[in-house]
């Protein structure tokens, strides 16, 4: 039966079955890597190298999933929020310490623009409250993280402290 002839309940049931199949497939793929110790070590080594590369960048860098949860952050991003990188992974934008509700709304709005437009968004001078309560000016770039089929899988962000240039 074609999708246009299916009831809403049938479509929802089909979608749920597909989700279950995808989850099982993902679990199986991870399970296969977990059983293969050299492959698991290679993945972990690659993640460690990537983290070191990101930590060497003096500007805030992060990757978010489609629910605005941080998947990867560098040391500069974590320092801006007064945390260690591991403390921020898994948090949502609304959970970030030190930002006002207004600042968080701006960031979430930008995330939606990136995801919906599939294009980079640049903000020349966003003001944020630092963890000491001071105003920090940041130049922010956000771009979609695309998969091999050009579908948005997340958001890559980069921001630079430009406070010294502004004053």
């Amino acid at each position: 039966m074609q999708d246009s002839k299916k009831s809403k309940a049938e479509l929802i049931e089909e979608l749920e079955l597909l989700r279950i199949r995808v989850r099982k497939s993902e679990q199986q793929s991870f399970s296969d890597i977990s059983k293969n110790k050299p492959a698991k070590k290679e993945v972990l080594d690659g993640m460690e190298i990537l983290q070191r590369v990101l930590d060497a960048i003096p500007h805030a860098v992060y990757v978010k999933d489609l629910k605005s949860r941080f998947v990867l952050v560098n040391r500069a991003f974590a320092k801006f929020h007064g945390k260690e990188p591991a403390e921020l992974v898994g948090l949502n934008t609304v959970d970030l310490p030190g930002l006002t509700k207004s600042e968080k709304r701006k960031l979430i709005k930008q995330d939606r623009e990136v995801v919906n437009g599939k294009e980079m968004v640049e903000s020349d001078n966003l003001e944020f409250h630092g963890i000491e309560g001071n105003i920090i000016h940041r130049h922010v770039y956000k771009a979609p993280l695309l998969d091999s089929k050009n579908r948005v899988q997340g958001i890559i962000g980069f921001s630079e402290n430009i406070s010294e240039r502004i004053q």
Side-chain angles (χ1 to χ4, degrees), residues 85-107:
E87 294 176 278
L88 296 174
V89 171
L91 292 183
N92 188 293
T93 300
V94 297
D95 301 322
L96 284 177
L99 299 181
T100 67
K101 287 181 182 180
S102 172
E103 292 165 344
K104 292 173 184 181
R105 279 194 298 270
K106 279 185 214 173
L107 295 174

Side-chain angles (χ1 to χ4, degrees), residues 4 81 97 121 124 135-136 140 158:
S4 61
H81 294 285
V121 171
D124 187 35
I135 299 294
I136 298 173
V140 178
F158 168 88

Side-chain angles (χ1 to χ4, degrees), residues 21-51:
R21 285 177 41 200
V22 167
R23 269 191 238 119
K24 284 182 181 179
S25 174
E26 288 171 346
Q27 290 170 350
Q28 182 63 40
S29 296
F30 185 73
S31 174
D32 291 346
I33 289 174
S34 296
K35 291 176 186 173
N36 185 339
K37 288 185 180 184
K40 183 178 178 183
K41 182 177 178 352
E42 192 174 312
V43 168
L44 293 174
D45 288 349
M47 289 299 294
E48 184 179 325
I49 290 168
L50 176 60
Q51 187 66 54

Side-chain angles (χ1 to χ4, degrees), residues 80 98 100 103 125-138 161-164 166-167:
F80 176 74
T100 67
E103 292 165 344
N125 182 12
L126 285 181
E127 288 185 7
F128 294 97
H129 288 81
I131 54 174
E132 292 93 29
N134 55 327
I135 299 294
I136 298 173
H137 300 269
R138 299 194 75 84
N161 185 341
I162 58 169
S163 298
E164 291 178 7
I166 300 296
Q167 297 171 3

